[in-house]
Amino acid sequence: NAGVTQTPKFQVLKTGQSMTLQCAQDMNHNSMYWYRQDPGMGLRLIYYSASEGTTDKGEVPNGYNVSRLNKREFSLRLESAAPSQTSVYFCASSAQGNQPQHFGDGTRLSIL
Amino acid sequence: QQQVKQSPQSLIVQKGGISIINCAYENTAFDYFPWYQQFPGKGPALLIAIRPDVSEKKEGRFTISFNKSAKQFSLHIMDSQPGDSATYFCAASRGSGTYKYIFGTGTRLKVLA
């Protein structure tokens, strides 16, 4: 049982480049989330999808877009990467809104 | 009002000792309080969670204590082991149907052998 799978695991971009981070879950969960993790700041919600076909902004959505491709997949896109977006990005899923969230192992993104 | 304040930032405990991590919140609408454990290079994993209708929940060596009047909750790790060395995050969320966890800033625990 893979749980939540994120690709790629590592990526280095130059300022201004675009990139899509992929996330897939095999737990038949309705809700999916994207977080970023920065030292000393915990995890901050970027966007979430309560159910297939819906997306909403979280705490730090600026500079990002998301797509809920189907029930399994939720992607995060950086249209024009900036050094401030250097971070570790985590995808998570949960059965419903206020239920335990299950995390992937993250994508480590560096923007030069 | 949306913040969850976590302390200490780091903690060193001898093997066999008790590790205690504290979190405080202000929003009385929060009604679900999970703790996550994260090892280097891995994603956070749910460790234990509590709702405010109980004051304590125990799972093995891990216990959450919840003080509703003080708006505080804490994680106790009994008989701490080197394998418990990880970063621990508390979180809070409110209301059924909500989708937003508010995470604390994390505590890096090191258990000395």
Side-chain angles (χ1 to χ4, degrees):
Chain A
N1 191 348
V4 178
T5 302
Q6 293 184 236
T7 55
K9 295 188 184 306
F10 303 92
Q11 185 70 47
V12 178
L13 294 178
K14 294 181 179 178
T15 297
Q17 287 185 316
S18 62
M19 164 142 200
T20 299
L21 280 59
Q22 306 287 351
C23 174
Q25 53 91 8
D26 63 3
M27 296 175 281
N28 200 34
H29 283 170
N30 289 306
S31 305
M32 298 186 72
Y33 314 81
W34 276 105
Y35 291 88
R36 61 178 289 173
Q37 184 176 38
D38 302 292
M41 300 190 74
L43 293 115
R44 293 181 294 168
L45 183 65
I46 304 171
Y47 271 94
Y48 66 96
S49 171
S51 60
E52 186 178 355
T54 69
T55 60
D56 282 287
K57 295 178 181 179
E59 182 183 354
V60 289
N62 291 343
Y64 305 95
N65 287 300
V66 291
S67 295
R68 183 74 182 266
L69 304 171
N70 48 56
K71 190 172 185 177
R72 291 186 63 247
E73 299 173 287
F74 188 38
S75 63
L76 178 71
R77 183 162 177 84
L78 286 70
E79 290 291 350
S80 179
S84 62
Q85 295 177 305
T86 292
S87 188
V88 182
Y89 291 86
F90 287 100
C91 177
S93 70
S94 66
Q96 300 291 345
N98 197 13
Q99 295 294 318
Q101 295 184 13
H102 301 263
F103 286 78
D105 283 339
T107 293
R108 284 143 187 84
L109 183 62
S110 292
I111 299 163
L112 306 178
Chain B
Q1 251 201 343
Q2 285 293 91
Q3 286 186 336
V4 176
K5 296 182 179 179
Q6 183 172 347
S7 63
Q9 188 174 12
S10 62
L11 182 62
I12 299 175
V13 174
Q14 294 287 338
K15 179 181 176 181
I18 302 173
S19 304
I20 302 173
I21 304 170
N22 301 299
C23 285
Y25 63 97
E26 295 184 357
N27 190 340
T28 55
F30 287 148
D31 67 351
Y32 180 68
F33 303 90
W35 284 91
Y36 281 82
Q37 179 188 55
Q38 185 180 28
F39 293 105
K42 296 294 186 181
L46 179 66
L47 188 62
I48 187 172
I50 197 168
R51 295 188 187 272
D53 52 343
V54 296
S55 60
E56 186 175 281
K57 183 174 181 179
K58 183 176 181 179
E59 290 185 3
R61 296 185 293 109
F62 301 91
T63 299
I64 299 179
S65 297
F66 185 81
N67 186 328
K68 190 173 182 178
S69 61
K71 292 184 285 186
Q72 295 176 347
F73 58 109
S74 59
L75 176 69
H76 296 235
I77 306 174
M78 312 300 287
D79 187 26
S80 298
Q81 299 296 313
D84 297 330
S85 297
T87 300
Y88 293 81
F89 292 94
C90 63
S93 67
R94 62 180 177 86
S96 62
T98 188
Y99 299 88
K100 298 182 181 180
Y101 279 16
I102 306 298
F103 280 89
T105 52
T107 296
R108 185 173 294 181
L109 171 66
K110 183 167 186 173
V111 181
L112 301 177

